[in-house]
Amino acid sequence: SQQGEEDPQALSIQEGENATMNCSYKTSINNLQWYRQNSGRGLVHLILIRSNEREKHSGRLRVTLDTSKKSSSLLITASRAADTASYFCATVNSGGSNYKLTFGKGTLLTVNP
Amino acid sequence: ETGVTQSPTHLIKTRGQQVTLRCSSQSGHNTVSWYQQALGQGPQFIFQYYREEENGRGNFPPRFSGLQFPNYSSELNVNALELDDSALYLCASSVPGSGNTIYFGEGSWLTVV
């Protein structure tokens, strides 16, 4: 079963704009991770945020985590056409296997040149 | 480049047949997981192997089985294929330890006709 839900399901923006994707989940987590997937390809790990962290940055990526609301957001600043892909959040549950990722359905981001 | 290699890239099988998918991980990555991703969905956890033993399983029937070998390679076997088994199968590997990056292969596309 899916743990999280990404919102929106699809997002279309112009190059240079910022893109924000949200993720909600249901159970207590150890950490939350964001992945990128180009069409029909494998998943690429973007960033991991632990349950005791509130915000994390990596290059043009900013991730926030609100455990009280069981939600996370991924912000991509100054988007590029090459950022076009599907983005998934995935959780590792507290007390569960460290390596069982529970994914949402993803947000399809289209960045128009 | 994630260091995780999967084969074959694409294959077509007939309902009722059996299939073996292969994965080769980085040296030292003694934890490997397999995921099934149906079209338009997020990946679903099938099972995980650690040091050649299964140590976690998702909601998949016993006809989904696996093996992990000492040389950091692994297999996913599916018996009695059904049409709904058509999906992208992803292998993921990592070193033990919560919060370590999980590396995904490019996946094997399976079509069951």
Side-chain angles (χ1 to χ4, degrees):
Chain A
S1 62
Q2 307 280 164
Q3 154 79 305
E5 284 191 17
E6 286 90 343
D7 169 50
Q9 292 185 354
L11 178 62
S12 182
I13 60 174
Q14 296 300 122
E15 213 166 21
E17 294 181 337
N18 295 341
T20 299
M21 289 159 270
N22 302 298
C23 167
S24 60
Y25 57 91
K26 298 173 185 174
T27 62
S28 295
I29 61 170
N30 178 291
N31 65 69
L32 184 145
Q33 304 176 31
W34 284 90
Y35 287 83
R36 166 198 168 117
Q37 185 178 40
N38 288 358
S39 179
R41 308 286 307 273
L43 293 161
V44 175
H45 179 268
L46 295 176
I47 198 165
L48 179 152
I49 187 165
R50 301 179 196 278
S51 60
N52 61 353
E53 297 176 313
R54 292 296 167 259
E55 187 171 314
K56 210 162 181 180
H57 297 253
S58 177
R60 294 184 295 114
L61 306 179
R62 172 179 170 253
V63 168
T64 62
L65 179 64
D66 186 336
T67 53
S68 66
K69 295 181 179 178
K70 292 187 168 58
S71 67
S72 173
S73 68
L74 171 67
L75 168 68
I76 303 174
T77 60
S79 64
R80 306 165 183 168
D83 294 329
T84 295
S86 291
Y87 291 83
F88 293 89
C89 70
T91 55
V92 175
N93 294 342
S94 298
S97 165
N98 283 335
Y99 309 102
K100 177 187 173 182
L101 295 170
T102 306
F103 286 87
K105 292 186 178 181
T107 293
L108 177 59
L109 172 66
T110 303
V111 181
N112 302 298
Chain B
E1 179 59 52
T2 65
V4 181
T5 305
Q6 291 189 241
S7 63
T9 307
H10 295 83
L11 72 166
I12 299 173
K13 289 286 190 177
T14 303
R15 189 171 50 182
Q17 284 188 315
Q18 178 266 344
V19 69
T20 297
L21 307 178
R22 294 181 172 83
C23 174
S24 177
S25 306
Q26 293 184 40
S27 178
H29 283 204
N30 51 15
T31 299
V32 66
S33 300
W34 286 89
Y35 290 81
Q36 180 195 67
Q37 185 178 19
L39 206 57
Q41 301 293 315
Q44 298 269 338
F45 175 76
I46 303 175
F47 46 55
Q48 177 191 113
Y49 278 77
Y50 173 65
R51 292 186 175 179
E52 302 159 48
E53 298 280 339
E54 183 182 304
N55 75 335
R57 190 175 185 94
N59 189 27
F60 281 82
R63 59 189 185 84
F64 285 78
S65 63
L67 286 171
Q68 185 186 26
F69 304 100
N71 64 352
Y72 305 108
S73 65
S74 59
E75 290 181 356
L76 165 65
N77 299 289
V78 187
N79 294 323
L81 284 167
E82 301 176 359
L83 297 180
D84 284 348
D85 295 334
S86 295
L88 177 67
Y89 288 85
L90 296 161
C91 170
S93 74
S94 68
V95 296
S98 175
N100 286 323
T101 299
I102 298 171
Y103 297 92
F104 281 82
E106 291 292 325
S108 294
W109 276 105
L110 170 66
T111 301
V112 182
V113 298

